[in-house]
Amino acid sequence: MLYPQLTASRMLISLDGFWQFAADHHNDGEEQGWHTGLQSDREIAVPASWNEQYQDLMYFFETGWYEREVEIPQHAQSEKIWLRVGAANYLSTLWVNGIEVGQHEGGHLPFVFEITEFIKFDRPNRITIRVDARIMPDRLPPGAVPEDEMIIGFKGQYPSNYYDFFPYGGINRPVLLFTTPDSYIQNIHTSTKLSGSDGEVNVRITMKNKISGTCRVSIRGTDSSLNRKLTANEADVEIEGCLRVSQARLWCPEDPFLYELEVQLMDDQGAMVDQYVQKFGIRTVVIEGTKLLLNGKPLFLTGFGMHEDFPVLGKGVHPAVLTKDFNLLDWIGANSIRTSHYPYSDEFLHYADRKGLLVIGETPFVGFVRSHYQGNAIRDKAQRVITEMVERDINHPCIIAWSLANEGDTFVPEADAFYKSLYDHAKSLDDSRPITIINCLDVEEDVALKHYDFVSINRYYGWYEQAGRLDEGCRVLDAKLDRCYELLGKPVMITEFGADAVAGVHVDPPELFSEEYQAEMTCRQYEIIRSKPYTIGAHVWSFADFKTSQTPSRVVVNRKGIFTRDRQPKLAAHKLKELWKQ
């Protein structure tokens, strides 16, 4: 469903702020009737992870309960009323006034429920959200994985998630209450292509309709429009058409221009019933030979993998952090990021659209293990999450590719059909962007990469292998890149490379964990990657230090950040700036 918007026909109320909170240590709060009234004397901030707000919650990975009251304006009685949670990790259940409304699985995408029938207009309404953050093998991403199924590290770490970032629990993105008319615009899908200097904008609009009237579609600032007559009581109306923009202004990092598609639902008397404005950019992205082309021009991606991670907030979205991060990306000369290892917030992507940051959107499929290939349960869950991600993000011009998995077990025969099914499913939803998955081991035995549009690999030669032997690590990287292209014959992107550095540690000659070693390794390996005619990008791991589970290989946080966790530059940041802003 469309991102909530305040318009002439829609009301929007933020429920961010302080909520009552209770930790359900035995996961039996529903049996105790917590959904009918939470007995709690503790307040907690939303959006933000619960772990860093209270010391006793840092390693709490059970179920948390949130509650607050809200009064709905009387004039909303004729409207549909909806509640949207941007993301809550991991399994969420919503009650309104003690009545269960619905449940959503998944920690990194929004869920929306209509709550009209549960609302009272003569009293405050109690909103209750239960968030189950338990770590389990069948969740995406998984945890508590048996050691005999692991293909890489994470043995014995605490907590026992099978991925290298902290499994923050809680409501991490905004909670919004909004209204729509009874007849309303439900979804808008745009895709663009070029015809000479003109842009062709294909639109598909879905409405829920109970009136006779007209749907008007136009691009503001142009003479492009289309109308469709509507008959009363059409339960699901879908309008498709193509709008042409002459002398189109193309979206790109240098000029991230956004057009506005206005959709209006009018009744027979010409009065507006519903209105929505969808921003979009006119641009094309294709793989052609060994090149990635944006608007027909070759593009090399410089930037980072990064995390939604900040002190105290955990994975909570905050506009000041977004502003700081985008400022630093611009300062260093990065043109792109990958949303490693899950879809990022709507707010991040809206900002990227406006700022011209190129984004590879990634699913939460990190740490796939062999048992996931047995039966259809995980495949079906994976396809559902792909659908949710693509439907939410398809209109964002900043997203130039999809990544469907990171560092899964792609070396067993069962992975072949599994990853082919994910590719086919994603392509059926969006054939306008290239699709990849990310490999972390030698490609010789990989059975999945061949199905994808370009090859993405994570490589740490000189760190996890050839540790401290940077010359040898660089030679291995050079040879392995050539071997990868020789075997697969597709464009190659290095989605992760880098080294840990403890800020303030300086050693000459450079040694592991020093700022000098990180800076030299990152810059030398970037230049090797950039020199290859078949590479399309190099993303350093990572943008900033981030919190992980406790393990002997991590000193409180993962220190591969070019910036510290509180966003101060290390030596490597200054060196990369010199390379990327030449």
Side-chain angles (χ1 to χ4, degrees), residues 58-84:
M58 176 58 81
Y59 291 97
F60 176 68
F61 301 105
E62 299 298 330
T63 299
W65 288 72
Y66 293 79
E67 181 184 280
R68 68 165 294 171
E69 290 187 340
V70 59
E71 292 199 50
I72 309 298
Q74 292 286 335
H75 63 74
Q77 290 190 58
S78 60
E79 305 290 296
K80 288 184 179 293
I81 302 171
W82 307 80
L83 188 90
R84 183 188 199 266

Side-chain angles (χ1 to χ4, degrees), residues 464-527:
Y464 293 120
E465 301 174 69
Q466 302 88 39
R469 304 187 300 279
L470 188 51
D471 288 345
E472 184 181 346
C474 288
R475 285 195 297 271
V476 173
L477 174 66
D478 187 87
K480 293 286 188 179
L481 286 174
D482 289 343
R483 180 60 174 159
C484 182
Y485 180 68
E486 177 188 354
L487 286 171
L488 293 163
K490 296 182 178 186
V492 177
M493 178 169 180
I494 290 68
T495 37
E496 292 182 24
F497 67 105
D500 285 73
V502 179
V505 171
H506 297 281
V507 178
D508 184 25
E511 293 185 359
L512 296 178
F513 292 101
S514 68
E515 290 194 39
E516 286 78 10
Y517 191 89
Q518 182 192 49
E520 184 175 342
M521 176 178 171
T522 302
C523 293
R524 285 179 62 182
Q525 294 196 352
Y526 171 79
E527 290 179 321

Side-chain angles (χ1 to χ4, degrees), residues 45 59 92 94 102 104 176-177 247 294-295 458 471 527 571:
Y59 291 97
S92 302
L94 169 68
H104 177 265
L176 300 173
L177 188 146
Q247 299 297 311
L294 178 69
N295 301 327
N458 297 341
D471 288 345
E527 290 179 321
L571 177 62

